[in-house]
Amino acid sequence: MSATSAQLKQQNATSPGTTGPGATGPDRYRGEIEHGLKVVPVKHWGRWVLSAVVAFVILQFLWSLASNEKWQWDVFAEYFFAPSVLNSLVLTLQLTVISGVIGFALGAVLAVFRLSKSPLLNAAAWWYIWFFRSVPLVVQILVWYNLGYLYPTLGLGTPFTTDFWLAEFPTTTLISAFAAATIGLSLHQAAYSAEIIRAGILSVDQGQVEAAASLGLPRRIRFFRITLPQAARAIVPNAFNEIIGLVKGTSVVFIVALPELFYTVQVIYNRNQRVIPLLLVAVVWYAIITTVLSVAQYYVERRYARGAVRELPPTPIQRARQWVSEQWSRLGDNPSQGGGADAAAHATTPSTPAGAGDRAPGEGEPAHERATSAAPGVTVAKRAAAASVADAAGACDAADAAGPTAALTTTAQRRNGGTR
Amino acid sequence: MSQTALAPSFDGNIPIAPRPTATVGRVEISDVTKSYGTNTVLRDVSLTIAPGEVVALIGPSGSGKSTLLRTINHLETVDRGSITLDGQYIGYEERGGKLHELREAEILRRRTQFGLVFQNFNLFPHLTAIENVVEAPVALKRLTKPEARELAKALLARVGLADKVDHYPRQLSGGQQQRVAIARALALSPKVLLFDEPTSALDPELVGEVLDVIRGLARDGTTLIVVTHEIGFAREVADRVVFLDGGEIVEQGTPIQVLRSPKQQRTRDFLAKVL
């Protein structure tokens, strides 16, 4: 028996019970064909050629990064953690967080206005969104910064008059560069997030609201417990898009001389003329923020996918662990390593709960397993071993407590994904 | 197909086993008219449903039976006429010879005296079966969370889903989803249960399990108003069958009267098509 056929057998033995009707797909045929003729997969020559070209381009680029001294990585390293750069990074993050929070809060209010039955609220929100999507962000920030030209003082007084003031402040002290930037970014962001939130709310089936109303749930609870969690599934990807856009959008506030990341590297390279390495400092920091946000997005989306799909796909971490345990068990499948009797003895010991769980209760393919009792015995034993290794490494979380059972379940699902 | 709902030994003469006498859940519909633009969907409909009675509303699609059901719990407002439950209006209050529209909070409070089961279940997909049932009693502060969970478990067990408590709706079959929806509607102990074509979205082999649950509720003495296409089920379970067509009640009576020997031509035409 070759290693490949053992592998096939293992797939056959483990997949059907975990997938139900889906398992009647290619796996079963593979199993049957295995007894007869060998299957030769079609060769994708075009794919190989393209892969080679792409690999070449990537390697060439990496080589040039390392070999071209003009990238000046020493300058990059010198400034990457420079206090002025780190301070500017903090300012960038502050601008992002503050205008992100205000922007989305205001956007949510505008979205609700747009969906309101009041024509005035609806129109007001519509015009707001129209206006702030029309005016370029840079222009808007400049106007806020220079508001003093229009209104030298701001204060509280009698409405519609200019002669009585309760309190009054000069505009230039009230609206600093930071305030102008925050106001501009927030108002701009609100217009875009309003549309995203509105789209999310509209995507929720009307029947949901009706069902909630028929249960006597008050409007607030209907919105926050029923509509919003379902809308979130549509909102989250776009919202992260916007937040990532906002991180880089903060770079336009250099126009009001606010020392955020981009402004700071400009100041530095204007002094020392090392333009490229300093721009790279900014680029890498922006990339790091974006990476963190992208990972966060993945997990937030997963959270809101609960109930929307029958089974959640495994996370990259779960997938990596599963790959390791698969390779481990494959190692054990190789008959050339011998020790068949030894492994069979292991398999019969009752102290392999993971291996037992492996035979999906009720739905396995016993005929096939029985026919090849020796080989799966090895598989089971090895897989149990893989489980204990994973446990010892402390890498198992609660969901994966079943060790390879859970991991293999997901493999089988992935494999059968196409047949659904 | 509708015959599958009938017990094999049923001869059509005994209505149903005697039920405990209910004292609440009397629905009075008087002269209700409702139109969408120029399209009049309900025309002077009057119907009184006694406590504990099981009424089946049948009729061709577009006859207004679903609209009538939804006006009963004030999910739809009426243009003219009134609907009361045990003498109380759902959306209005009578003061000085006029009907004053109530504030939403009060309407919602009164609406909880009805439970509504939808054709397409409308379970909350982001909540598990038990969370779907727990949501209303907890949100309305009727029960604490542990109490509500106990109740929900009992209700889910009653509809035969004790082992599906933590499943999400998408992990359940249509029949199971509809049974969760019934448990959810029961969680507020309504006086009247309204069913809007509860089996129309189900595969034929799943219809029976839902009808079994409704049959059990009928036996318990809850007032039931069921819009249905399952003529066999109406014959077996209903105390009264009401046939609507064109927004009007054409004919009503015991299942035997209406379904065996209809007086009106329109009823005969309809039954000829569905039986």
Side-chain angles (χ1 to χ4, degrees):
Chain A
M1 188 193 298
S2 74
T4 353
S5 68
Q7 226 170 287
L8 278 171
K9 200 151 291 169
Q10 180 203 339
Q11 285 172 354
N12 256 320
T14 53
S15 60
T18 55
T19 54
T24 54
D27 279 3
R28 169 158 303 176
Y29 293 120
R30 221 185 293 168
E32 280 166 10
I33 288 167
E34 187 216 338
H35 299 298
L37 300 168
K38 190 172 183 285
V39 177
V40 182
V42 63
K43 297 210 166 44
H44 298 279
W45 295 111
R47 201 184 290 164
W48 280 104
V49 172
L50 277 178
S51 302
V53 171
V54 170
F56 166 74
V57 171
I58 293 171
L59 288 173
Q60 172 70 45
F61 177 67
L62 290 177
W63 177 80
S64 86
L65 278 187
S67 62
N68 185 349
E69 282 166 14
K70 287 175 192 153
W71 284 102
Q72 294 179 299
W73 292 110
D74 52 327
V75 179
F76 173 89
E78 183 188 341
Y79 283 101
F80 193 67
F81 290 114
S84 60
V85 169
L86 292 183
N87 285 336
S88 71
L89 183 69
V90 170
L91 186 63
T92 292
L93 289 173
Q94 274 175 347
L95 281 170
T96 308
V97 171
I98 295 172
S99 38
V101 169
I102 299 177
F104 271 88
L106 188 57
V109 173
L110 286 166
V112 172
F113 276 22
R114 279 284 279 127
L115 296 166
S116 157
K117 286 197 184 101
S118 153
L120 181 69
L121 293 184
N122 193 327
W126 190 91
W127 283 107
Y128 177 97
I129 292 164
W130 170 82
F131 182 81
F132 282 98
R133 288 203 300 194
S134 308
V135 179
L137 178 56
V138 187
V139 176
Q140 214 215 110
I141 291 172
L142 281 175
V143 169
W144 285 114
Y145 192 55
N146 295 300
L147 196 67
Y149 289 118
L150 286 171
Y151 301 99
T153 61
L154 295 174
L156 286 173
T158 328
F160 306 115
T161 62
T162 52
D163 46 5
F164 176 77
W165 293 99
L166 227 55
E168 202 179 355
F169 305 98
T171 304
T172 42
T173 56
L174 211 58
I175 300 186
S176 61
F178 185 77
T182 315
I183 294 172
L185 286 167
S186 302
L187 297 184
H188 179 82
Q189 194 53 52
Y192 287 91
S193 41
E195 289 295 88
I196 288 171
I197 293 170
R198 187 171 69 96
I201 293 172
L202 288 179
S203 73
V204 178
D205 180 18
Q206 190 56 33
Q208 292 291 310
V209 181
E210 252 178 23
S214 80
L215 288 170
L217 297 180
R219 200 173 280 264
R220 245 175 55 88
I221 292 176
R222 286 207 295 262
F223 184 73
F224 284 104
R225 295 272 308 155
I226 306 300
T227 307
L228 205 55
Q230 295 183 58
R233 198 164 143 72
I235 292 174
V236 166
N238 290 319
F240 269 95
N241 229 4
E242 283 296 309
I243 293 170
I244 289 168
L246 182 61
V247 173
K248 290 171 291 170
T250 57
S251 63
V252 305
V253 311
F254 80 91
I255 204 82
V256 290
L258 204 58
E260 46 69 54
L261 187 54
F262 183 53
Y263 179 86
T264 304
V265 299
Q266 277 180 303
V267 167
I268 299 172
Y269 72 61
N270 280 331
R271 214 170 46 219
N272 65 10
Q273 304 305 315
R274 318 271 188 155
V275 179
I276 293 291
L278 277 155
L279 283 179
L280 269 179
V281 167
V283 166
V284 171
W285 274 119
Y286 284 127
I288 289 171
I289 300 173
T290 306
T291 308
V292 171
L293 285 171
S294 303
V295 172
Q297 173 178 3
Y298 177 82
Y299 284 96
V300 173
E301 275 183 28
R302 236 177 110 77
R303 192 193 139 71
Y304 284 110
R306 285 177 323 168
V309 285
R310 286 220 171 94
E311 292 289 341
L312 287 174
T315 64
I317 298 168
Q318 288 170 342
R319 237 179 282 163
R321 279 220 308 274
Q322 163 208 326
W323 184 82
V324 169
S325 69
E326 255 175 34
Q327 297 310 310
W328 179 261
S329 63
R330 212 165 272 180
L331 222 64
D333 272 349
N334 195 342
S336 67
Q337 288 190 338
D342 183 31
H346 270 292
T348 50
T349 54
S351 65
T352 53
D358 227 345
R359 299 159 190 269
E363 287 191 277
E365 211 177 5
H368 201 87
E369 274 189 41
R370 247 181 273 124
T372 56
S373 56
V378 180
T379 323
V380 167
K382 264 303 183 190
R383 244 181 262 131
S388 59
V389 167
D391 274 328
C396 272
D397 55 32
D400 277 1
T405 313
L408 288 167
T409 307
T410 48
T411 337
Q413 271 155 1
R414 214 148 30 96
R415 206 181 295 134
N416 286 298
T419 63
R420 283 238 171 92
Chain B
M1 184 185 87
S2 54
Q3 294 299 326
T4 55
L6 276 173
S9 63
F10 183 68
D11 65 356
N13 287 324
I14 312 150
I16 32 171
R19 296 195 299 265
T21 43
T23 51
V24 292
R26 177 187 184 83
V27 179
E28 276 184 73
I29 303 167
S30 31
D31 300 320
V32 163
T33 297
K34 162 97 188 162
S35 31
Y36 296 116
T38 56
N39 177 23
T40 307
V41 281
L42 293 175
R43 230 181 276 272
D44 290 325
V45 173
S46 294
L47 189 65
T48 301
I49 294 142
E53 197 180 359
V54 179
V55 172
L57 298 178
I58 60 168
S61 61
S63 59
K65 35 187 208 312
S66 286
T67 310
L68 180 62
L69 199 73
R70 294 154 62 89
T71 58
I72 293 175
N73 76 345
H74 204 71
L75 220 49
E76 301 266 2
T77 55
V78 300
D79 299 338
R80 210 145 35 78
S82 67
I83 299 172
T84 60
L85 171 64
D86 294 332
Q88 188 188 43
Y89 295 99
I90 307 308
Y92 311 95
E93 195 169 46
E94 199 173 347
R95 264 182 287 134
K98 281 183 192 158
L99 285 184
H100 295 266
E101 196 168 10
L102 286 170
R103 288 214 337 275
E104 198 189 350
E106 182 58 22
I107 297 177
L108 289 170
R109 206 184 57 76
R110 295 189 180 184
R111 186 180 285 154
T112 58
Q113 301 176 87
F114 295 96
L116 176 57
V117 175
F118 296 85
Q119 178 177 353
N120 45 2
F121 330 136
N122 284 343
L123 287 179
F124 306 131
H126 59 302
L127 303 178
T128 59
I130 194 165
E131 288 168 346
N132 264 278
V133 181
V134 162
E135 184 67 32
V138 171
L140 302 177
K141 301 201 171 63
R142 298 262 188 97
L143 298 175
T144 66
K145 202 151 193 194
E147 286 169 353
R149 282 187 72 86
E150 280 312 305
L151 172 73
K153 275 184 197 156
L155 287 172
L156 287 169
R158 186 170 159 194
V159 297
L161 293 173
D163 56 333
K164 305 285 182 190
V165 165
D166 292 318
H167 283 56
Y168 284 100
R170 276 217 189 132
Q171 296 166 328
L172 300 174
S173 74
Q176 291 168 337
Q177 288 189 49
Q178 190 60 298
R179 287 186 280 152
V180 174
I182 293 172
R184 182 176 72 172
L186 289 171
L188 295 171
S189 5
K191 295 177 182 172
V192 179
L193 275 173
L194 310 170
F195 290 89
D196 189 0
E197 304 192 18
T199 57
S200 297
L202 298 178
D203 289 337
E205 79 269 24
L206 301 178
V207 167
E209 62 190 58
V210 172
L211 293 185
D212 281 342
V213 171
I214 302 176
R215 207 174 277 131
L217 292 168
R219 242 176 268 128
D220 292 348
T222 322
T223 308
L224 301 185
I225 307 176
V226 187
V227 171
T228 188
H229 290 302
E230 303 285 336
I231 303 296
F233 177 72
R235 182 172 8 203
E236 178 202 356
V237 173
D239 298 318
R240 182 150 49 121
V241 173
V242 178
F243 174 67
L244 277 97
D245 191 15
E248 293 172 316
I249 294 180
V250 175
E251 188 167 359
Q252 56 174 307
T254 63
I256 300 160
Q257 287 168 350
V258 177
L259 301 174
R260 283 277 165 84
S261 45
K263 294 190 188 68
Q264 303 290 327
Q265 186 58 42
R266 277 198 275 176
T267 317
R268 278 197 285 271
D269 290 346
F270 173 72
L271 290 174
K273 274 182 218 148
V274 297
L275 283 180

